[in-house]
Amino acid sequence: MSYISEMRKYVGHAPIMAVAAMGILYSEEKGLLLEKRTDTGEWCTPGGAIELGESLEEALRREIKEETNLDFNNPKLFDIKANVHMVYPNKDEVYYTDVVYEINEFYGELKPDAESKELAFFSLDNLPQNIMPTQIGYIEKYVKMKKSDKAFL
């Protein structure tokens, strides 16, 4: 059982704080990998809350493997966003600190888990409209960075 699930036994739906490791998986040839959540139907980057005793990178590896079946090399810290407020459909409330990594070297057979309806790669010029509101900021920041990098090539 996850740490957050265990805490919910004591606090019910009350707000809790957590740290999450998130991965922006991007390659020039495939695009940006997003997953469509089963609970909200919104698109998001793979990742999730760290468990007790895990490092951020261990949590990132576990979450990406669980949600996409992919492995990766050389994650690079991209952004940290505090006070990411989520209220889940079941009314659980969490204030996350998202630690976001850029991952450009990934491999394996793409396969969604129970948390995802679908996994898909998107061109940076053609992202879906229904991206999870808590992630729009750092996804837009990433797209802007990648486009400005190309302008200098």
Side-chain angles (χ1 to χ4, degrees):
M1 179 174 285
S2 75
Y3 173 71
I4 290 179
S5 297
E6 186 67 25
M7 290 298 97
R8 287 287 170 215
K9 292 178 185 177
Y10 303 103
V11 300
H13 299 297
I16 60 174
M17 295 177 67
V19 176
M22 310 303 295
I24 293 177
L25 283 77
Y26 176 77
S27 78
E28 292 285 332
E29 60 205 35
K30 294 180 180 181
L32 177 66
L33 178 64
L34 296 175
E35 66 177 291
K36 192 170 196 177
R37 297 175 59 98
T38 56
D39 59 355
T40 65
E42 297 167 321
W43 290 95
C44 65
T45 61
I50 65 172
E51 297 294 339
L52 291 178
E54 271 186 324
S55 70
L56 282 163
E57 189 170 308
E58 288 168 339
L60 185 67
R61 284 191 187 287
R62 177 183 50 77
E63 287 286 345
I64 289 177
K65 186 67 172 179
E66 287 173 3
E67 295 176 8
T68 69
N69 195 47
L70 297 177
D71 295 298
F72 60 87
N73 296 320
N74 303 316
K76 298 176 193 107
L77 181 63
F78 174 69
D79 201 2
I80 299 173
K81 186 176 179 190
N83 203 29
V84 178
H85 183 229
M86 289 277 303
V87 179
Y88 289 91
N90 69 354
K91 306 298 183 218
D92 284 353
E93 191 170 357
V94 182
Y95 285 84
Y96 285 104
T97 296
D98 283 352
V99 182
V100 185
Y101 292 86
E102 176 185 23
I103 300 168
N104 302 117
E105 299 175 33
F106 48 89
Y107 53 93
E109 181 184 339
L110 197 60
K111 186 170 69 174
D113 73 349
E115 293 180 29
S116 307
K117 289 182 183 180
E118 182 180 352
L119 295 167
F121 286 96
F122 293 90
S123 152
L124 296 182
D125 294 320
N126 192 27
L127 296 176
Q129 293 298 309
N130 59 330
I131 293 175
M132 182 182 289
T134 59
Q135 295 190 358
I136 289 171
Y138 55 78
I139 290 173
E140 286 177 344
K141 180 179 176 179
Y142 186 78
V143 169
K144 185 176 181 180
M145 179 193 75
K146 294 308 278 184
K147 287 184 175 185
S148 70
D149 286 352
K150 287 183 180 180
F152 291 108
L153 296 178

